Amino acid sequence: ASFYTQWGSIPVDGNIGLRHVTTKVTSSGIRSSYNVEYDPNGFVVFQSNNDVLEFNTYHNTYTNLLPSVNLSLELKDDLMLRLAAYSAISRPDMWFFGAARDIGQVNAEEEFTTVEQALENNVSALGNPFLEALESDNLDASLSWYYEDDTMLSAAVYYKKFNAAFEAESNFEDVIVDGQAYNVEVNGLVTIKDDSSSIKGIELTAMHSFKWLPAPFDGMGVAVNYNYADSSFETPEAGA
C-alpha cells in the first residue's frame, strides 16, 4: 500500500507491505545399494551392488512472512531523507540441500551380528533437504543532496541482523539396505544455529552527469561509491 502525507511542512510518501513466500524443496540422493550377507561366524557383511541404485527423495515446504516499510521525506527541494525497515530472506547454496546418505564400510572385522548394529553411528548425511532460508531484519537510512540537476551526493547507514552460522546435527531417518528400511541415526545434518549475528556499515556515493558535453556525449556521467561494513558473523570454513 502506497501513501502520501505531510508532517508539518515536510512532504512524506512511501509504502508498507507484507510478502508471503512459500518455498517447496524436492531433493533426491542416489547411491549404490547393498546386499546383506553373513560370514561363517554369523557376522554381518555389506556387499556393494553397483547394478542397483538406491534413491532417497525428501520433500519440504516452509513459508516466510516478510513485512516492510519505506519512507521518503523531502526535507528541502534538493534534500531527501529515505528510511526503510524490512525483513528479507536468502537461501543457502544448493549443495546444502543434498539428500545423499553415505553408509560406511561394514565387514566381518567389526563383528556386527545385526544390520541395526552395523548402521549405528555409521550413516552420514551429505546435505539437509529440511534446511530453511536465512531470514534477516534490516534497517536503512540515507540522505541525498541533489546539487542542481546533474549532481547527487548521498550518505547511507545500514544494519542487518540474521542467523547464518551452520553446525552439524543428528536425526533419525529411514535408510534402505537390501530392500528393507531401518530407522537409524543419521549424522552430519547441516543445520542453521540459533546464533544471532549482525552487519552494520556506511555507504557514500557521488554521481555527476556531463550534460554540458556535446552530443552524443551529453549522456555520459561518473559515479563514485565507497562502502564500509563491519560484521560480527563467525563460522568455520570447510577446507583442508
Side-chain angles (χ1 to χ4, degrees):
S2 299
F3 58 86
Y4 174 83
T5 186
Q6 195 140 340
W7 293 350
S9 61
I10 300 176
V12 179
D13 67 89
N15 57 71
I16 185 170
L18 179 67
R19 288 190 296 152
H20 179 276
V21 182
T22 298
T23 303
K24 296 182 178 180
V25 177
T26 299
S27 182
S28 296
I30 304 173
R31 63 169 173 81
S32 298
S33 65
Y34 291 97
N35 295 326
V36 177
E37 299 180 0
Y38 294 87
D39 80 338
N41 296 317
F43 297 131
V44 175
V45 177
F46 286 2
Q47 293 289 348
S48 179
N49 183 2
N50 296 323
D51 295 330
V52 179
L53 299 178
E54 297 285 358
F55 293 84
N56 298 323
T57 300
Y58 300 93
H59 302 275
N60 186 30
T61 301
Y62 61 89
T63 61
N64 297 91
L65 292 175
L66 307 174
S68 66
V69 59
N70 297 275
L71 296 175
S72 295
L73 292 77
E74 189 176 340
L75 304 180
K76 295 182 179 180
D77 290 342
D78 59 353
L79 191 63
M80 185 74 70
L81 175 64
R82 296 182 175 88
L83 305 171
Y86 58 95
S87 293
I89 59 172
S90 61
R91 295 181 176 85
D93 292 341
M94 294 300 293
W95 73 266
F96 279 104
F97 297 94
R101 300 296 181 258
D102 180 61
I103 299 176
Q105 184 177 1
V106 176
N107 53 46
E109 294 178 359
E110 280 82 22
E111 299 184 353
F112 297 124
T113 58
T114 65
V115 176
E116 288 83 359
Q117 288 180 355
L119 294 175
E120 186 175 353
N121 293 322
N122 199 26
V123 182
S124 301
L126 303 179
N128 183 6
F130 300 98
L131 199 63
E132 297 188 1
L134 309 172
E135 189 166 333
S136 64
D137 297 319
N138 305 266
L139 296 172
D140 296 345
S142 66
L143 185 65
S144 301
W145 178 41
Y146 298 89
Y147 178 71
E148 298 182 345
D149 293 335
D150 56 5
T151 304
M152 188 273 288
L153 301 176
S154 175
V157 292
Y158 55 88
Y159 177 80
K160 178 194 292 283
K161 183 180 179 181
F162 59 95
N163 294 335
F166 295 93
E167 66 180 8
E169 292 187 350
S170 300
N171 200 6
F172 282 85
E173 296 181 1
D174 284 341
V175 175
I176 307 298
V177 178
D178 204 2
Q180 184 173 342
Y182 297 88
N183 191 253
V184 299
E185 188 173 19
V186 177
N187 301 310
L189 289 165
V190 180
T191 306
I192 299 172
K193 294 173 59 177
D194 186 16
D195 184 14
S196 180
S197 301
S198 65
I199 298 176
K200 55 186 177 182
I202 183 171
E203 186 173 35
L204 305 176
T205 303
M207 301 178 67
H208 179 73
S209 177
F210 301 118
K211 291 185 177 181
W212 45 269
L213 290 176
F217 305 107
D218 54 350
M220 297 181 63
V222 62
V224 180
N225 177 270
Y226 170 79
N227 180 77
Y228 173 80
D230 180 45
S231 177
S232 64
F233 176 69
E234 294 182 0
T235 189
E237 287 192 8

